[in-house]
Amino acid sequence: MTFADDAILVLVDVSPTGEAAASTPGLLGAAAKIGTPVALIVTDSDPQPAIDAAKAAGAAAVLTAPNDTTALTVPVVDALSAAFDAVHPDAVLISHSIAGRDAAGRLAARRSLALAVDAVGVSRDDEGVIAHHSVYGGAFLADSAATFDPLIVTVREGAVEDRAEAGAADVTELQVTASGAPAATVGEIEAVEQTSSRPDLRGAARVVSGGRGLGSKEKFVLVEQLADALGAAIGASRAAVDAGYIPASHQVGQTGVSVSPQLYVALGISGAIQHRAGMQTAKTIVAINKDAEAPIFEIADFGIVGDIFAIVPQVVEALEARKK
Ligand code: FAD
């Protein structure tokens, strides 16, 4: 196996049923921007769907390795470590998903490599790969780079817009020796039925979020109506979650999910720093709030000062009329 001198190793997140995660095009797009992307697919399912997704997303080469799904994360790190030795990459890009973070941390510890987490972009200069971060609630942009050795980067889902051209990548099965490192044992994997036709919050292109301004769980349906008219995922502030309007899995912010959609609509959300931390890298931010002094307007590209219960139904009506 030979790989390009500027190879970038990309760990593709694969679901237990073998599908590549929605983060794949962004990860490979980021890799293509700084080098030659080599995708690693670790799965105990048929790898073909994930291989096809990696090729379509621009992988110049694909490595596959079997997964042992009874052991948590360690088999993936064993494969990553073997791929690292085979590819000699300039950097390793991994999704900032929960599974990705786990694998990245373990790989960094095992191989004594520098780890840059939650990057919103990558670039390279004469000295190597640089990770770009949005920090302190998006108030500052920070760069990080390794002084020596390749950098491992976890990339925020949905943050990278770059896309690579589809390629006819060679597929190679990687030989992996199990490290025997201690691993938590997975007793059972239970598929949770997705009852919603709405997109997942993580990695969604559009997000409509509601805050305490919605006033009750019943009235939170307004957020759902606008989200459905836009084909958007649903987010919420912590105040809305704490008040029981919506489950905690929808919370956006410092202690919730970080999103980087193309469009983020904030309804009845004041824009506290902890909320902004999770959405400030959205490409276009629209805020509707009856308080003209609300901090959310400081970061909004478009702001409407007014009552959400008067404005949002009109927006929904206009969007529905355009679909006809
Ligand atoms: P509020 O601040 O109460 O704002 C409600 C807004 O709705 C107001 O601006 C009001 O003008 C507007 N409004 C009311 N009625 C209407 C109407 N009819 N029409 C239009 N506008 C209306 N928060 C998060 O969101 N995510 C986090 O991850 C998070 N993590 C935290 C971590 C820590 C350690 C701490 C201390 C706090 C955290 N918070 C987080 C909480 C955060 O500080 C705020 O309390 C929270 O974001 C406020 O939510 P909100 O904007 O919905 O509510």
Side-chain angles (χ1 to χ4, degrees):
M1 285 186 285
T2 50
F3 297 93
D5 287 345
D6 64 348
I8 305 294
L9 181 61
V10 173
L11 175 67
V12 173
D13 260 1
V14 184
S15 73
T17 47
E19 287 102 34
S23 56
T24 307
L27 278 178
L28 286 158
K33 208 175 135 200
I34 54 172
T36 305
V38 178
L40 172 64
I41 291 163
V42 188
T43 180
D44 65 341
S45 301
D46 173 11
Q48 200 55 49
I51 292 170
D52 292 343
K55 284 183 178 179
V62 178
L63 298 173
T64 62
N67 196 3
D68 170 6
T69 45
T70 61
L72 193 67
T73 315
V74 166
V76 176
V77 181
D78 291 348
L80 262 173
S81 191
F84 185 81
D85 288 332
V87 175
H88 299 292
D90 286 350
V92 183
L93 302 191
I94 298 176
S95 170
H96 194 68
S97 61
I98 291 167
R101 277 178 253 177
D102 197 10
R106 281 172 177 263
L107 181 69
R110 191 186 289 186
R111 303 302 300 256
S112 298
L113 295 169
L115 172 62
V117 298
D118 197 19
V120 294
V122 288
S123 62
R124 78 183 295 157
D125 65 10
D126 296 344
E127 292 180 39
V129 171
I130 303 164
H132 306 289
H133 311 262
S134 169
V135 297
Y136 294 120
F140 295 93
L141 291 174
D143 291 348
S144 59
T147 313
F148 51 83
D149 289 340
L151 182 64
I152 303 174
V153 186
T154 67
V155 181
R156 188 181 294 182
E157 292 155 280
V160 176
E161 283 178 61
D162 301 280
R163 293 291 180 267
E165 301 256 315
D170 283 342
V171 180
T172 311
E173 197 175 325
L174 191 67
Q175 296 306 313
V176 181
T177 310
S179 64
T185 306
V186 179
E188 183 181 0
I189 296 177
E190 190 187 334
V192 177
E193 289 295 327
Q194 183 123 19
T195 49
S196 168
S197 56
R198 298 187 184 109
D200 253 7
L201 183 55
R202 290 172 196 274
R206 297 169 185 176
V207 175
V208 177
S209 282
R212 198 188 333 246
L214 269 300
S216 70
K217 187 176 179 176
E218 291 67 37
K219 291 186 193 161
F220 203 84
V221 73
L222 194 68
V223 178
E224 297 173 13
Q225 286 166 353
L226 182 56
D228 289 345
L230 287 167
I234 293 182
S237 71
R238 180 158 137 183
V241 168
D242 288 350
Y245 302 170
I246 180 139
S249 56
H250 292 269
Q251 182 178 318
V252 171
Q254 183 184 319
T255 43
V257 175
S258 287
V259 295
S260 274
Q262 297 296 318
L263 174 68
Y264 188 90
V265 184
L267 305 179
I269 291 178
S270 59
I273 186 85
Q274 296 90 353
H275 186 78
R276 287 156 60 156
M279 46 66 74
Q280 192 151 358
T281 52
K283 306 299 171 297
T284 301
I285 297 170
V286 177
I288 309 179
N289 195 305
K290 65 180 182 185
D291 175 8
E293 304 298 320
I296 192 78
F297 289 126
E298 292 166 16
I299 55 160
D301 299 283
F302 300 96
I304 303 173
V305 179
D307 185 346
I308 45 174
F309 299 106
I311 294 163
V312 175
Q314 294 178 51
V315 177
V316 172
E317 203 181 318
L319 286 167
E320 297 299 350
R322 274 174 51 177
K323 286 184 195 163
K324 286 181 188 150

